[in-house]
């Protein structure tokens, strides 16, 4: 079975650039798909039990292949058994190893995210929202293609979503300011106002 039996193209296109995070995202999506496929089958029916085994085997194959691609141990060094030798015990052991690794990864990501975030007071968030609103007006008035405008507005939407969280991700701030400042000045109706608003965001968070 193809990986697209478990994960659609949109999920693949949206995978994080970090290999560990991308692997976790892919595994989570594939596990949900596997569960939905298996839940629709009757394990007491011999034919459907064979389908369950096929899905489990393909799931293992997809995860191990992803582990090799992203160089994630122990999956990078793991060999998928021949289908004729694949047993229910193999699936249970593989699921146990996978759950163990994903648990570690979730905890690592949580700790890393905390290091990369700062707690922002409600008053400060209100200031940031005002700056974002100003930038939104700059984008809407800017001399750019519709695709570029839509992309920038989506980035602003994503940043505003970050402001709803208790802690603000500094990488989200850095990505937004870099994106805005990297746009040629001739695009903006007022480059001074645009850059001032962007600088204000950085200074407010700092």
């Amino acid at each position: 079975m193809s990986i697209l039996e478990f994960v659609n193209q949109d999920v693949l296109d949206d995978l994080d650039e970090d290999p560990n995070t991308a692997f976790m995202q892919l595994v989570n999506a594939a596990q949900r798909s596997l569960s939905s496929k298996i839940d629709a089958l009757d394990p007491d029916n011999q034919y459907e039990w064979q389908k369950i085994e096929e899905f489990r085997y393909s799931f293992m194959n997809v995860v191990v292949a992803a582990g090799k691609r992203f160089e994630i141990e122990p999956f990078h060094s793991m060999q998928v058994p021949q289908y004729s030798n694949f047993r229910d015990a193999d699936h249970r052991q593989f699921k146990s190893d996978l759950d163990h690794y994903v648990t570690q990864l979730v905890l690592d990501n949580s700790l890393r995210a905390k290091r990369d975030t700062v707690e922002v007071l409600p008053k400060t968030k209100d200031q940031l929202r005002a700056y974002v609103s100003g930038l939104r007006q700059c984008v809407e008035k800017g001399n750019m293609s519709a695709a570029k405008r839509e992309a920038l507005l989506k980035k602003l939407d994503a940043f505003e979503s970050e402001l709803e969280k208790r802690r603000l991700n500094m990488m989200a701030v850095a990505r937004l300011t870099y994106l805005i400042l990297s746009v040629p000045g001739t695009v903006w109706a007022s480059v001074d106002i645009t850059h001032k608003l962007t600088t204000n965001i950085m200074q407010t968070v700092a």
Side-chain angles (χ1 to χ4, degrees):
M1 291 183 186
S2 162
I3 185 175
L4 295 176
E5 288 284 342
F6 295 94
V7 183
N8 64 40
Q9 190 62 51
D10 288 340
V11 171
L12 295 176
D13 292 341
D14 290 338
L15 290 178
D16 196 89
E17 293 181 2
D18 175 70
N20 289 317
T21 304
F23 179 76
M24 183 175 68
Q25 291 171 331
L26 189 149
V27 166
N28 286 341
Q31 282 183 318
R32 288 194 298 270
S33 179
L34 175 66
S35 294
S36 67
K37 292 177 185 299
I38 288 178
D39 288 346
L41 298 172
D42 179 8
D44 293 327
N45 180 293
Q46 184 176 0
Y47 171 76
E48 294 192 2
W49 171 250
Q50 289 178 339
K51 293 296 295 182
I52 289 174
E53 286 192 321
E54 288 177 14
F55 283 133
R56 287 176 172 175
Y57 181 78
S58 295
F59 170 77
M60 181 180 185
N61 204 4
V62 165
V63 172
V64 171
K68 292 182 184 299
R69 174 60 181 83
F70 293 125
E71 298 184 352
I72 303 294
E73 292 294 355
F75 309 101
H76 183 257
S77 303
M78 190 176 291
Q79 297 297 319
V80 178
Q82 292 291 324
Y83 179 68
S84 59
N85 297 325
F86 184 70
R87 299 291 180 267
D88 187 51
D90 296 318
H91 170 73
R92 289 199 301 271
Q93 184 59 54
F94 179 73
K95 185 68 166 56
S96 176
D97 292 340
L98 187 60
D99 289 345
H100 179 77
Y101 173 78
V102 170
T103 298
Q104 290 182 314
L105 185 58
V106 168
L107 292 174
D108 286 344
N109 284 350
S110 178
L111 292 172
R112 184 168 62 250
K114 191 171 184 179
R115 289 195 299 268
D116 295 339
T117 60
V118 293
E119 190 164 359
V120 181
L121 297 174
K123 183 178 180 180
T124 303
K125 287 185 178 182
D126 289 339
Q127 287 180 297
L128 291 171
R129 289 189 182 97
Y131 296 144
V132 170
S133 177
L135 281 174
R136 191 181 297 280
Q137 293 179 34
C138 291
V139 171
E140 290 171 347
K141 295 177 181 178
N143 180 26
M144 64 187 77
S145 67
K148 182 66 174 178
R149 180 177 289 105
E150 182 180 357
L152 288 172
L153 290 174
K154 283 184 177 180
K155 293 294 183 183
L156 290 173
D157 289 341
F159 184 75
E160 281 192 301
S161 296
E162 286 289 328
L163 293 177
E164 299 302 319
K165 300 176 182 178
R166 186 171 64 88
R167 300 179 68 88
L168 180 61
N169 190 314
M170 292 302 294
M171 285 302 296
V173 178
R175 283 195 294 266
L176 176 67
T177 54
Y178 173 79
L179 182 66
I180 297 294
L181 294 176
S182 65
V183 174
T186 54
V187 164
W188 306 113
S190 174
V191 65
D192 290 339
I193 292 176
T194 304
H195 286 188
K196 178 64 175 177
L197 288 167
T198 306
T199 303
N200 284 347
I201 290 177
M202 288 295 290
Q203 291 176 341
T204 300
V205 174

